[in-house]
Every structure is written in structure tokens, then in C-alpha cells.
């Protein structure tokens, strides 16, 4: 029973996870150079988001995450609008995580446990509630599964030289 639900959750959340991973996976092919904050600073004198959040990365995440959602929809396992919101929410949450990091004085690329691993998925799920009812268990699965999966996949990206740091 729980495995069925867990499997359904993984399929559901896939556009969100894929969106979050896409900027790293594609950064050798697509140059990610235009910061979303355009280099601007917040009232605390630090960058609003920093150079790690680019327009190209954001767009790649939304497109690749939604693309996976379209494939899953064609296979009868997702809905295009839901996957678009999950992918967009992932990139929005990722940017929110960077905003929080900068406000706390954590420089771009340095780790901030839990914020790095969870803001993207939590924002994606909350945003998703606007159009569909997200089961409470999905939040619980997200909080449990995402941190190890995020750390593991970032480590693989580091081994593949797609990332300079293993987190
Ligand atoms: N990336 C991007 N645009 C985004 C998200 C990610 O270009 N909207 C790319 C950047 O090259 C970034 C890399 O993916 O360095 C890894 O993403 P992440 O770990 O989220 O960014 P950090 O560089 O660690 O920056 P921050 O400290 O702000 O999280
Ligand atoms: Mg990082």
C-alpha cells in the first residue's frame, strides 16, 4: 500500500525534481549568465539572489520539468498544468532559498542545510494547491525523501564535474 502511494508521489513530484536538477545538468550546453536580480543589491547591501540564479537556469528548469510532465501526461500519469506549476514552483522556491541565504549572509554557492534541500519542493507543493488538492502525505514524503535525494544527486553531479561543490 505505502509503496503504491510512494510510487505515485515520485511520479507526481518528478517535474519538480527534474526542474531543480536541470540547470546543473544543462550548464555545459546552455550558458547560464544573466542573473535574475541583474546584479542588484537588497537594502542590506547584499545581492538580492546572487549569480547562482540566472534567467537561463530558471527557464531551463521550467521547460525541462514541464517537458517531463508532458511525457508523463501522454503516458496517462500526470497533468500538463500541474507539472508546469510544479516545475515553476521548484524554480521559484529555489530562488526563494537563495533570497533567504543572502539575507542570512550565506554567500552564493555555500551550503545552507534544509533551505538548499527543501524550499524548492515545499514552494512547488504549496503552489500546486492552487489548482489541485495535494495530499498531506505528499508533504511528509517530500520532507523525508528530498534531502537525501538532493544531496545524493548533487554528489553525482560533482563526480560528473557538472558541479564544483558536492552539495
Ligand atoms: N542555476 C542557474 N539558475 C537557476 C538555478 C541554478 O543558473 N535559477 C545554476 C547555477 O549555475 C548554479 C547551479 O545551477 O550555480 C547550481 O544551483 P544552486 O546550487 O541552486 O545555486 P548556487 O550556486 O549554490 O547558489 P545559491 O547559494 O544561491 O543557492
Ligand atoms: Mg548550491
Amino acid at each position: 500500500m505505502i509503496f503504491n502511494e510512494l510510487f505515485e508521489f515520485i511520479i507526481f513530484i518528478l517535474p519538480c525534481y527534474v526542474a531543480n536538477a536541470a540547470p546543473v545538468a544543462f550548464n555545459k550546453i546552455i550558458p547560464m549568465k544573466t542573473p535574475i536580480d541583474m546584479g542588484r543589491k537588497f537594502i542590506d547591501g547584499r545581492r538580492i539572489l546572487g549569480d547562482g540564479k540566472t534567467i537561463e537556469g530558471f527557464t531551463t528548469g521550467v521547460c525541462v520539468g514541464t517537458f517531463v510532465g508532458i511525457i508523463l501526461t501522454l503516458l496517462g500519469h500526470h497533468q500538463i498544468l500541474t507539472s508546469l506549476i510544479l516545475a515553476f514552483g521548484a524554480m521559484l522556491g529555489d530562488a526563494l532559498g537563495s533570497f533567504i541565504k543572502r539575507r542570512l549572509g550565506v554567500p552564493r554557492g555555500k551550503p545552507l542545510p534544509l533551505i538548499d534541500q527543501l524550499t524548492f519542493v515545499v514552494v512547488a507543493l504549496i503552489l500546486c494547491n492552487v489548482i489541485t488538492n495535494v495530499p498531506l502525505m505528499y508533504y511528509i514524503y517530500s520532507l523525508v525523501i528530498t534531502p537525501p535525494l538532493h544531496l545524493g544527486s548533487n554528489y553525482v553531479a560533482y563526480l560528473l564535474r557538472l558541479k564544483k561543490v558536492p552539495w
Side-chain angles (χ1 to χ4, degrees):
M1 257 307 266
I2 187 150
F3 280 107
N4 278 350
E5 202 182 52
L6 207 56
F7 184 71
E8 275 170 26
F9 165 73
I10 298 282
I11 299 283
F12 176 80
I13 206 71
L14 217 53
C16 165
Y17 283 174
V18 169
N20 188 254
V24 173
F26 284 87
N27 73 10
K28 291 255 154 56
I29 307 165
I30 303 166
M32 311 231 171
K33 293 208 170 99
T34 321
I36 296 172
D37 66 10
M38 296 290 175
R40 281 195 295 258
K41 291 183 172 139
F42 197 60
I43 41 171
D44 56 11
R46 290 190 277 261
R47 286 284 295 276
I48 301 175
L49 299 176
D51 288 335
K53 301 295 115 123
T54 67
I55 292 174
E56 295 86 348
F58 194 102
T59 314
T60 304
V62 174
C63 291
V64 179
T66 308
F67 177 75
V68 167
I70 291 172
I71 305 279
L72 290 172
T73 304
L74 293 175
L75 296 171
H77 293 295
H78 224 298
Q79 274 158 3
I80 293 177
L81 184 60
T82 310
S83 52
L84 170 68
I85 291 180
L86 282 170
F88 178 77
M91 300 321 290
L92 194 69
D94 178 55
L96 174 68
S98 293
F99 179 79
I100 295 169
K101 285 170 78 174
R102 300 302 88 83
R103 303 295 65 79
L104 295 173
V106 180
R108 176 254 165 126
K110 291 281 177 279
L112 184 59
L114 298 182
I115 293 295
D116 278 340
Q117 288 86 35
L118 289 176
T119 28
F120 80 95
V121 73
V122 171
V123 169
L125 286 178
I126 291 173
L127 207 61
C128 219
N129 264 301
V130 174
I131 59 151
T132 178
N133 186 32
V134 178
L136 182 66
M137 275 311 281
Y138 280 16
Y139 287 90
I140 296 166
Y141 290 144
S142 291
L143 298 181
V144 177
I145 294 172
T146 315
L149 202 69
H150 192 267
L151 288 168
S153 54
N154 277 328
Y155 192 69
V156 171
Y158 169 72
L159 293 178
L160 294 172
R161 292 169 201 274
L162 291 169
K163 273 199 103 167
K164 289 197 179 82
V165 288
W167 50 79

